Amino acid sequence: MGSKNKLKRFKDNEVFDNVVQPTRSEIVDETYAYKGKWKQEFFKNDNPLILELGCGKGEYTVGLAKRNPDSNFLGIDIKGARFWRGAKTALEEDMPNVGFLRTQIELVDQVFAEGEVDEIWITFPDPQIKWKRTKHRMTNPDFLDKYKKILTKDGLIHLKTDSEFMHGYTLGILEGLGHDIIYAHHDIYVNHQAPEEVVGIQTFYEQQYLDKKKSITYLKFRLKP
């Protein structure tokens, strides 16, 4: 993507009413206006709030929102030029249940109040395979603690990835900590009973993985209290 195109997308994001871009200090100082009020103040309703962490182009955020018009979907990513596509599509298709938040994922427990989120999707995260990158894996125990804080008591987490390493690592963490693994499959597209929302939505990069015959894995789990 050229620098001019990026600049245009950054400018668009500033005026898109479905995009919010708080400063880091607003979040860290806990002065961010939407914390604890995302449903009422941003989406203007009391419907369930579902996050896509590391949303990229926003394909999953938009795809899930189309299938579930009575839920609110918020894609989160630090790279605004990427989720611009999802934000623009949602505006063009008049989807008031879609929003995008530009911030770091590690701040997620400071952007949302305790028990404010009903569900989390993690789609194709960087597996951070090197040992020194363990702290950046989005399903490590520290991140799970952040998710537990903002999720409702029965809140669900979904992990969809092309990385067998990430799938296996997460399974090991969940089993070791005694969390509730609801569904697990190492090659979701060969499972004829796979959930429609898992196989019915494909991201740009996922399509490339499938063209290369890469297996796509999926986990659904619930964190113990």
Side-chain angles (χ1 to χ4, degrees):
M1 185 188 304
S3 58
K4 288 185 178 179
N5 201 11
K6 272 191 175 181
L7 288 174
K8 179 183 182 304
R9 292 185 174 191
F10 289 147
K11 289 182 179 179
D12 285 346
N13 283 344
E14 291 176 1
V15 298
F16 284 173
D17 60 13
N18 61 353
V19 171
V20 286
Q21 304 183 91
T23 64
R24 187 179 179 89
S25 61
E26 282 181 298
I27 296 172
V28 174
D29 296 341
E30 298 189 351
T31 60
Y32 190 51
Y34 284 132
K35 183 176 182 179
K37 303 175 183 178
W38 280 95
K39 297 177 185 180
Q40 295 82 5
E41 298 294 330
F42 184 76
F43 289 103
K44 311 296 184 184
N45 59 51
D46 197 35
N47 294 336
L49 175 60
I50 301 169
L51 311 181
E52 183 191 3
L53 304 182
C55 66
K57 296 175 181 289
E59 296 110 318
Y60 239 89
T61 300
V62 172
L64 288 170
K66 287 181 178 179
R67 287 164 168 76
N68 303 277
D70 293 326
S71 292
N72 303 314
F73 292 86
L74 190 67
I76 304 177
D77 207 301
I78 191 59
K79 296 183 178 179
R82 287 187 183 176
F83 68 58
W84 168 90
R85 178 64 269 171
K88 192 170 190 296
T89 296
L91 290 174
E92 290 173 343
E93 299 187 13
D94 191 22
M95 300 176 66
N97 64 327
V98 174
F100 289 90
L101 167 65
R102 184 174 183 267
T103 192
Q104 295 92 344
I105 303 302
E106 59 265 27
L107 298 178
V108 69
D109 60 329
Q110 299 183 64
V111 179
F112 302 95
E114 184 174 342
E116 186 174 13
V117 175
D118 295 274
E119 203 166 325
I120 292 174
W121 282 79
I122 305 171
T123 53
F124 301 94
D126 187 331
Q128 308 286 0
I129 293 176
K130 292 183 178 180
W131 173 253
K132 64 181 181 180
R133 301 291 296 176
T134 302
K135 67 179 181 179
H136 298 288
R137 292 176 195 157
M138 289 176 60
T139 54
N140 74 33
D142 289 340
F143 271 106
L144 294 181
D145 284 342
K146 292 176 184 287
Y147 306 153
K148 185 193 303 185
K149 181 178 177 183
I150 64 173
L151 279 167
T152 59
K153 180 181 177 182
D154 296 320
L156 295 172
I157 302 178
H158 308 259
L159 171 67
K160 187 178 181 184
T161 175
D162 66 305
S163 171
E164 293 181 6
F165 168 82
M166 187 69 170
H167 182 78
Y169 168 81
T170 305
L171 270 177
I173 292 292
L174 297 176
E175 290 174 349
L177 294 174
H179 295 307
D180 182 15
I181 300 171
I182 300 169
Y183 189 107
H185 204 281
H186 68 283
D187 192 352
I188 198 69
Y189 286 99
V190 303
N191 180 3
H192 299 298
Q193 296 180 332
E196 194 280 333
E197 61 189 357
V198 178
V199 296
I201 305 172
Q202 295 177 3
T203 70
F204 172 78
Y205 293 108
E206 181 179 359
Q207 292 171 6
Q208 292 186 332
Y209 301 146
L210 291 171
D211 288 342
K212 296 176 181 177
K213 308 300 182 184
K214 290 195 72 174
S215 298
I216 305 298
T217 70
Y218 172 66
L219 280 171
K220 179 165 71 172
F221 56 96
R222 183 181 287 114
L223 302 176
K224 68 179 182 180

